[in-house]
Amino acid sequence: MQHNKVLILDFGSQYTQLIARRVRELNIYCEIHPFNKIPNDSDSFKAVILSGSPNSVRGEDVLHPDLSNIRGKKPMLAVCYGAQYLAHFSGGEVAESNTREYGRANLGFIKSEDAFFENIQVGSQVWMSHSDTIKTLPTGAVLLASTADVENAAFKIEGETTYAIQFHPEVYHSTDGRQLLKNFLVNIAHLDQDWTPNAFVEETVADLKAKLGDDKVVLGLSGGVDSSVAAMLLHKAIGKNLYCIFVNNGLLRKNEFEDVLNQYEGMGLNVKGVDASARFLDALAGKSDPEEKRKTIGRVFIEVFDDEAHRIQDVKWLAQGTIYPDVIESVSATGGPSATIKSHHNVGGLPDFMKLKVVEPLKALFKDEVRRVGASMNMDKQLLGRHPFPGPGLAIRILGDLTREKVRILQEVDAIFINGLREWNLYDKVWQAGAMLLPVNSVGVMGDERTYEKCVALRAVESTDGMTADWVNLPYEFLQKTSNDIINKVKGVNRVVYDISSKPPATIEWE
C-alpha cells in the first residue's frame, strides 16, 4: 500500500491490537510486528509506536529492541512499557510502585502549549495499567503531564520527535485517547489520513490484477462476511477466472447450505456447492481434543479443495478470507516460542502436495474494516451484518467427541436461539451469538418422568473485531422463552444456561 505507514512494535501487551484499531480509525494504515523482528523495510514506516508489556524493564526477562534505526530518526510514541524502557535505558530511573497503578486516573497537570496535548484539558481521564513507575525522567526529557499518583505520566525528548506516556490512550477509558493519537500522528508526525475503504478497494483490485493476471483462482465461500468480501474483490479484479466453492462440512447451521447458495444468486459469482458432510464427520469420528478437531477440519478442507481444484483446468491460486485477527491469534505476540491461543484453519500455508499459491486480499484488515470495505462496494447489508461463524463450525461448539446426533441437537438449538434474536430485534445488537453443547448430562423432570439429558450453553457477545468482547445483557424474558422453546422442542436437551464470561479471560468460542 502506498500510504503513510505506522509501525507498532509489540511487547506482548493485551492492548497492542487496540492500538492498531485506534490508529486505523484515524484512517492511517499501521502494522503490528514483534519487538525483536523489526521489518527490513523499516524505512517505509513514517512513525513508530512502542506497546505496553506484562514484562518489567527491571527484570531478567527485559524485552530489548534494537531502536538504532528508529529513535531520533522517526517520530516515536512509547506507551507504558515503552515509556519505562526509554527511561530505564536512557539515564532515568524505573522502580516498583508502592501500590499497583491500575485503572482510571485524571491528568492534573498538562503542558498544554505542546502540540501533543492540543485540545486535551486538565482533568482528562486516562487508563493506567502498570506495577512499575518512572521515578526519574531520562536524559534530555521534558515533563508533559502528571496525575495525582503518577508524576511522570508523559514526557518528550528534546531534539527528537520522541514522546512517551505511562497510560494507555488506546483503551476506551482514556476519554481523549483518540485525540492524543491524532495529535501525535497527524500534528506531530504529519501523516496523511488516507486509509479509507474506497482507497483499499481501488488499490487491492489493482494489486490483484497485477499479481494474478489471467490466472484462475479457486475460493472457498462460507457465507460469512470475510469470504464474501474477498470474493467480491477478486471478482472485480479477475471476473470469470474466479471459481467459488461452498463446502457443506456437515457442521453448518440448520439449512445453511441451501440458504447460503441462494444468497449468492444475483451477485454475479460463479459458485459451486459441494456436499462433503459425510467426509468431514467420518474424519472427526472419535476425536474430542479441540486442536485435533480444528486441524482435522483444516486438513479435510484442503483435501476437498484439492479435489475440486483438479476439476478446474489450470487453476493456480487458492484464495482465502483470512483477516488480521486470524493471523495475530495464530502466532506468538512477542515473536518467541509460540504461545498460540488457538490455530485457525486458514492460517499456516498449504501442504506440499497442493500445487496452489495462496492469495489473501483481507489479511491486513480487522473485522469492522472488512464490513466497511464491503459496504463501499454496495454489498447486501444483511450479508455484511451476519454474525461471525467459526471456520470449524459447530465442531468447536460441541465439546468432546462428535456424532451426527449431537450435530442435529445443536443445529436445532442454535436455530431457535438465532431466530429468536431476529424475532426480538436483538440480532443486530449482538456481534456474535451461538449455542454450545456441553459434554455433561443433567437430571430433569419432564411429564412427571425423570430425564437424564444434555445441557446447552447460550452465548452472545458485543465486540468490534473479536479481539476483546463483553457478554450481552439479553432481556430475561427473551432468555426465559428461548430456554422453554429449546427444552420443549429439542429432544435430548433438558437444561439451558447463559454464558456471562468476557474476553479476556475467556475466548468467544468454548474450544
Side-chain angles (χ1 to χ4, degrees):
M1 297 299 173
Q2 301 304 311
H3 291 275
N4 299 145
K5 295 197 297 183
V6 176
L7 171 62
I8 300 172
L9 291 182
D10 180 23
F11 293 87
S13 169
Q14 62 176 318
Y15 298 136
T16 302
Q17 291 79 27
L18 285 179
I19 298 175
R21 280 199 29 76
R22 298 298 175 255
V23 173
R24 299 276 187 94
E25 287 172 358
L26 293 169
N27 294 328
I28 297 173
Y29 182 70
C30 63
E31 293 178 4
I32 298 172
H33 291 269
F35 76 96
N36 57 354
K37 293 185 178 180
I38 298 175
N40 294 328
D41 64 340
S42 60
D43 287 345
S44 66
F45 293 91
K46 305 304 180 186
V48 178
I49 298 176
L50 309 183
S51 82
S53 174
N55 296 62
S56 170
V57 296
R58 301 179 301 106
E60 295 181 359
D61 57 351
V62 60
L63 308 179
H64 215 320
D66 179 6
L67 301 178
S68 58
N69 291 325
I70 295 174
R71 184 173 169 183
K73 300 176 182 179
K74 298 177 185 290
M76 184 171 73
L77 173 61
V79 176
C80 198
Y81 177 91
Q84 294 173 0
Y85 180 87
L86 290 182
H88 185 71
F89 290 102
S90 300
E93 180 188 358
V94 176
E96 185 177 3
S97 302
N98 294 329
T99 58
R100 190 166 187 265
E101 296 163 345
Y102 183 86
R104 296 173 177 84
N106 297 95
L107 297 176
F109 159 74
I110 293 176
K111 192 171 184 179
S112 57
E113 64 269 25
D114 194 283
F116 191 61
F117 281 104
E118 183 177 341
N119 296 321
I120 298 176
Q121 305 299 319
V122 170
S124 176
Q125 179 177 285
V126 296
W127 184 261
M128 296 287 184
S129 181
H130 55 271
S131 55
D132 287 348
T133 194
I134 299 171
K135 293 290 188 181
T136 307
L137 293 178
T139 303
V142 176
L143 182 65
L144 295 182
S146 303
T147 70
D149 297 319
V150 181
E151 179 182 1
N152 299 312
F155 62 88
K156 71 175 181 179
I157 306 296
E158 288 189 306
E160 302 177 14
T161 49
T162 299
Y163 288 77
I165 51 178
Q166 186 62 82
F167 54 90
H168 290 269
E170 67 273 21
V171 304
Y172 172 80
H173 301 292
S174 290
T175 52
D176 290 319
R178 178 187 174 96
Q179 181 65 49
L180 186 141
L181 289 171
K182 181 180 179 182
N183 289 344
F184 172 71
L185 294 171
V186 178
N187 299 344
I188 294 172
H190 305 298
L191 273 66
D192 294 326
Q193 295 175 273
D194 58 359
W195 172 250
T196 64
N198 287 335
F200 176 83
V201 171
E202 181 180 343
E203 294 167 10
T204 300
V205 170
D207 180 62
L208 290 170
K209 286 181 177 178
K211 178 186 291 186
L212 303 175
D214 293 327
D215 291 351
K216 294 180 180 178
V217 178
V218 60
L219 165 68
L221 285 173
S222 68
V225 177
D226 302 336
S227 65
S228 300
V229 173
M232 289 305 297
L233 287 168
L234 286 158
H235 180 67
K236 282 179 172 288
I238 61 174
K240 60 181 177 58
N241 279 348
L242 174 64
Y243 294 80
C244 298
I245 298 170
F246 177 52
V247 176
N248 180 8
N249 61 7
L251 301 161
L252 303 174
R253 285 177 156 143
K254 185 178 180 180
N255 300 325
E256 189 168 20
F257 185 55
E258 296 80 8
D259 292 344
V260 167
L261 288 175
N262 292 334
Q263 185 180 44
Y264 284 120
E265 286 186 6
M267 291 180 64
L269 299 175
N270 176 21
V271 183
K272 177 183 179 182
V274 178
D275 188 353
S277 55
R279 187 169 176 176
F280 279 88
L281 293 174
D282 288 345
L284 288 164
K287 292 180 171 59
S288 58
D289 179 76
E291 277 297 288
E292 188 177 7
K293 287 193 287 188
R294 287 176 182 271
K295 291 174 180 177
T296 298
I297 290 168
R299 173 180 59 78
V300 179
F301 258 116
I302 293 295
E303 292 172 357
V304 171
F305 271 98
D306 191 48
D307 291 345
E308 294 302 320
H310 278 95
R311 295 183 173 91
I312 306 169
Q313 189 174 3
D314 298 326
V315 66
K316 295 183 179 179
W317 297 83
L318 172 67
Q320 297 188 139
T322 309
I323 62 174
Y324 210 19
D326 295 340
V327 177
I328 293 170
E329 285 197 342
S330 294
V331 297
S332 170
T334 56
S338 180
T340 302
I341 297 170
K342 56 188 176 183
S343 62
H344 288 263
H345 74 283
N346 56 344
V347 176
L350 298 173
D352 292 338
F353 73 81
M354 195 171 183
K355 308 300 182 183
L356 294 179
K357 295 177 285 186
V358 175
V359 57
E360 298 169 312
L362 304 177
K363 195 173 183 178
L365 299 186
F366 289 100
K367 176 72 74 172
D368 57 321
E369 293 177 310
V370 174
R371 287 195 170 99
R372 290 200 294 270
V373 166
S376 74
M377 294 189 291
N378 298 314
M379 293 178 63
D380 182 77
K381 291 182 179 180
Q382 185 173 355
L383 187 154
L384 295 177
R386 284 194 65 183
H387 291 176
F389 188 65
L394 300 182
I396 58 171
R397 293 182 177 178
I398 298 173
L399 278 65
D401 66 314
L402 285 164
T403 66
R404 285 168 170 78
E405 175 62 10
K406 289 180 180 179
V407 173
R408 180 201 67 80
I409 290 174
L410 191 55
Q411 285 178 331
E412 296 291 339
V413 171
D414 179 86
I416 291 172
F417 184 32
I418 298 301
N419 291 338
L421 289 172
R422 294 187 188 279
E423 292 167 6
W424 283 62
N425 295 318
L426 296 169
Y427 186 86
D428 292 334
K429 299 177 183 178
V430 172
W431 189 77
Q432 183 171 341
M436 320 294 161
L437 185 64
L438 306 187
V440 295
N441 283 23
S442 67
V443 175
V445 178
M446 301 178 72
D448 294 327
E449 294 183 1
R450 178 185 184 275
T451 63
Y452 192 58
E453 296 179 331
K454 294 294 182 184
C455 173
V456 295
L458 306 183
R459 183 137 168 82
V461 299
E462 53 187 5
S463 180
T464 54
D465 53 32
M467 302 306 299
T468 60
D470 290 322
W471 63 279
V472 178
N473 190 3
L474 295 174
Y476 285 141
E477 296 81 5
F478 168 77
L479 291 173
Q480 182 182 42
K481 184 178 189 308
T482 302
S483 176
N484 288 340
D485 286 347
I486 289 171
I487 292 172
N488 289 330
K489 297 177 181 179
V490 182
K491 185 178 179 181
V493 176
N494 69 357
R495 191 176 297 270
V496 177
V497 298
Y498 186 53
D499 182 353
I500 57 171
S501 308
S502 296
K503 177 185 179 180
T507 56
I508 294 176
E509 301 296 338
W510 278 42
E511 287 193 337

